[in-house]
Amino acid sequence: MPSPPPAPRSRGTLRYDLTASVVVFLVALPLCVGVAVASGVPAELGIVTGIVGGLLTGLLPGSSLQVSGPAAGLTVLVYEAVQTYGLAALGVLVLAAGLLQLAMGALKLGRWFRAISVAVVQGMLAGIGLVLIAGQVYALADLEAPGSGLAKLAGLPGLVLDVAASPEALAALAVGTGTIALLVLWPRWKAAARVLPAPLVAVAAATLAVAVLGLPVARVEVKGLLDAVQPPGGAEFAALADLAMLGTVLAFALIASAESLFSAAAVDRLHKGPRTDYDKELMAQGAGNAVCGALGALPMTAVIVRSAANVQAGARTKASRVLHGVWLLVFAAAFPAALGVIPVAALAGVLVHAGFKLVPWKDLGPLWREHRGELVILAVTAVAIVVGNLFEGVLIGLLLAVAKTAWEVSHVHIETTEEPVAEKGARPALRVRVLGNATFLRLPKLLDSLEALPADRELHLDLGGLRHVDHACAMALATWEERHNALAAGAGTRVQVTTARATPRTTA
């Protein structure tokens, strides 16, 4: 059920926001920790990003009810960046990406993210989900995952043998798979799910089972909130001169922005309150990422799981997302040691479940039946991310989407009709109308159709139905007319080719 529209703050409204903030906090806590561990950084840094997402981004204008924090969608990219440049460089990468987002918002580019092909975004999320699953399957058994996506997939048969030969790995796998089972089954108990969110229940149950049974599994390493925060230094800023680092900054900014703004569009469909201002929301995300970068923390995006929980819990204003940041801060300050009892395998289970949900399984069937071209773009983008990396995969997907659109827009076809004759017994002239958009992409088809016309008939070529004619087609039509007249003259027949071209029309 959609929540009531956000109302002016009052005691009653604050009651709804307070309840929603607790629900969002309980959803966000295991996800913040899990995303950090999967990204190869201290668990506390995920909580720092969640705190900034609540206290800073939550206060800024843009979207009223969506919640920001570390997201599974950036896990793969962050992990690659940390492995390539080191943890110390993460802060400057996130800071630069945040400043770029601020600039894009100031230039009113936020609304343009809505023009990105949905198939590319779905393919991006599917690719991230598959890589996330492939990597976290190893963490389910407390084993180290290979570096690349292909290596993770190739190593799965060996993983089965390693797990079978190790009692410790089997214990960790039992904890991880039990966590996944709870994540799937708990929401079906609707009354209980409204009180306690599935991620919190699953992680708490796994932690309790490990403690009671004394299972030999790895637990989250705890450094303390202040110890984990390491602002970037001068050496890290100097490294931005590297073009490869600038490419990573661009990838952070574009992917985080696209994920946040698509999340905003989804959240807007869940409630009847004020709609998102995309440019302001982009600047709010940029401000949050700039602060996260200055603290050396993870990048943030708007997260649909937390945002949906916020709306469904009855949030009325942005106070709920700000308060969720307060609860994260209180927990990190008062109970930091609590993180150290959480099994890594349980967090891996949370992320395997999150990765599975990133793949748009329900959309694959309808796309195959109705829009196979879009399905091809989705699949190619996802495969390119698994085989290569996130930035290259998204770039390939965008190029493929542009190529598909260009091909579809350049539709052209020919209609041939016989014109009335003035004299009895005379052969009627053929009127040839060319309709659509004549571009070089359809030039072979256009020329094949024209060259198949009879050379011994008078032809009236009408180009008035063309909305667009590019230079290549204009030259080809002129050349065909010349050649047709020459062939007709050689055959000794009187052939007149006339061209009636209206002003090309354009459509918005």
Side-chain angles (χ1 to χ4, degrees):
M1 291 291 292
S3 71
R9 190 170 302 170
S10 64
R11 182 173 298 178
T13 299
L14 186 59
R15 178 171 58 86
Y16 283 107
D17 288 333
L18 183 62
T19 303
S21 71
V22 174
V23 172
V24 177
F25 159 70
L26 296 176
V27 172
L29 180 61
L31 290 174
C32 286
V33 177
V35 169
V37 172
S39 300
V41 305
E44 293 86 351
L45 291 183
I47 296 181
V48 171
T49 298
I51 292 169
V52 175
L55 298 184
L56 175 61
T57 306
L59 279 172
L60 296 175
S63 175
S64 58
L65 296 181
Q66 79 168 351
V67 183
S68 300
L74 283 174
T75 301
V76 176
L77 188 57
V78 173
Y79 181 84
E80 291 175 354
V82 170
Q83 294 301 308
T84 303
Y85 306 112
L87 179 58
L90 179 62
V92 73
L93 290 170
V94 177
L95 173 57
L99 294 176
L100 183 56
Q101 286 181 299
L102 282 168
M104 291 191 296
L107 293 172
K108 307 293 185 183
L109 298 181
R111 69 196 70 180
W112 288 98
F113 279 87
R114 291 180 291 178
I116 297 176
S117 167
V118 174
V120 175
V121 176
Q122 289 180 318
M124 177 190 76
L125 295 176
I128 291 169
L130 293 173
V131 175
L132 192 59
I133 292 170
Q136 293 305 304
V137 163
Y138 292 84
L140 282 175
D142 283 348
L143 296 175
E144 189 74 23
S148 68
L150 278 180
K152 290 181 177 71
L153 296 176
L156 291 178
L159 173 66
V160 174
L161 297 177
D162 292 341
V163 171
S166 170
E168 293 81 6
L170 284 172
L173 182 62
V175 171
T177 53
T179 302
I180 295 172
L182 263 177
L183 287 168
V184 174
L185 297 175
W186 186 259
R188 298 184 181 181
W189 187 8
K190 297 188 182 300
R194 282 195 292 268
V195 178
L196 291 173
L200 180 71
V201 172
V203 172
T207 303
L208 182 62
V210 168
V212 171
L213 299 176
L215 297 178
V217 300
R219 293 172 173 80
V220 175
E221 295 182 7
V222 180
K223 292 184 178 180
L225 198 62
L226 294 179
D227 293 333
V229 172
Q230 295 183 356
E236 285 74 38
F237 282 102
L240 281 176
D242 184 359
L243 287 178
M245 280 195 73
L246 290 177
T248 303
V249 168
L250 183 62
F252 271 19
L254 294 181
I255 292 171
S257 300
E259 190 169 342
S260 295
L261 297 182
F262 272 92
S263 172
V267 173
D268 280 349
R269 291 194 290 268
L270 298 177
H271 67 86
K272 298 178 181 179
R275 305 294 91 181
T276 298
D277 184 315
Y278 285 85
D279 296 318
K280 289 181 179 178
E281 179 62 20
L282 185 55
M283 294 188 73
Q285 295 294 326
N289 273 318
V291 172
C292 286
L295 297 173
L298 288 171
M300 75 165 60
T301 72
V303 186
I304 188 62
V305 174
R306 287 166 232 183
S307 303
N310 189 39
V311 174
Q312 291 162 4
R316 303 296 179 88
T317 71
K318 63 178 64 177
S320 61
R321 58 187 192 176
V322 176
L323 285 171
H324 117 276
V326 173
W327 308 143
L328 284 173
L329 178 60
V330 169
F331 176 87
F335 311 104
L339 298 178
V341 302
I342 299 175
V344 172
L347 297 178
V350 170
L351 290 173
V352 167
H353 183 256
F356 187 84
K357 292 173 69 175
L358 286 175
V359 181
W361 304 106
K362 293 181 180 179
D363 295 330
L364 299 182
L367 283 176
W368 173 255
R369 292 189 296 270
E370 301 169 13
H371 304 286
R372 294 188 181 180
E374 295 294 297
L375 182 60
V376 169
I377 293 173
L378 188 158
V380 169
T381 303
V383 171
I385 290 171
V386 173
V387 174
N389 58 55
L390 190 58
F391 186 67
E392 292 174 356
V394 171
L395 187 60
I396 290 171
L398 288 173
L399 292 175
L400 194 59
V402 170
K404 173 181 174 289
T405 301
W407 178 258
E408 291 178 345
V409 168
S410 65
H411 178 72
V412 64
H413 70 279
I414 291 176
E415 293 180 354
T416 305
T417 57
E418 291 188 344
E419 294 188 339
V421 295
E423 300 177 7
K424 190 175 180 180
R427 298 185 68 184
L430 292 178
R431 182 177 186 81
V432 181
R433 296 189 68 213
V434 185
L435 306 170
N437 295 286
T439 71
F440 71 95
L441 293 173
R442 299 297 179 120
L443 188 52
K445 176 185 176 181
L446 178 60
L447 291 177
D448 287 344
S449 299
L450 291 174
E451 289 170 358
L453 296 172
D456 59 347
R457 300 280 292 275
E458 182 176 345
L459 303 179
H460 296 169
L461 184 62
D462 181 4
L463 304 183
L466 287 175
R467 292 186 292 272
H468 172 74
V469 183
D470 68 9
H471 180 68
C473 280
M475 294 295 293
L477 289 170
T479 303
W480 175 82
E481 180 179 351
E482 235 178 81
R483 183 182 174 195
H484 191 94
N485 280 330
L487 289 173
T493 57
R494 181 179 177 275
V495 179
Q496 180 184 3
V497 179
T498 61
T499 302
R501 181 180 300 178
T503 302
R505 300 187 299 273
T506 58
T507 56

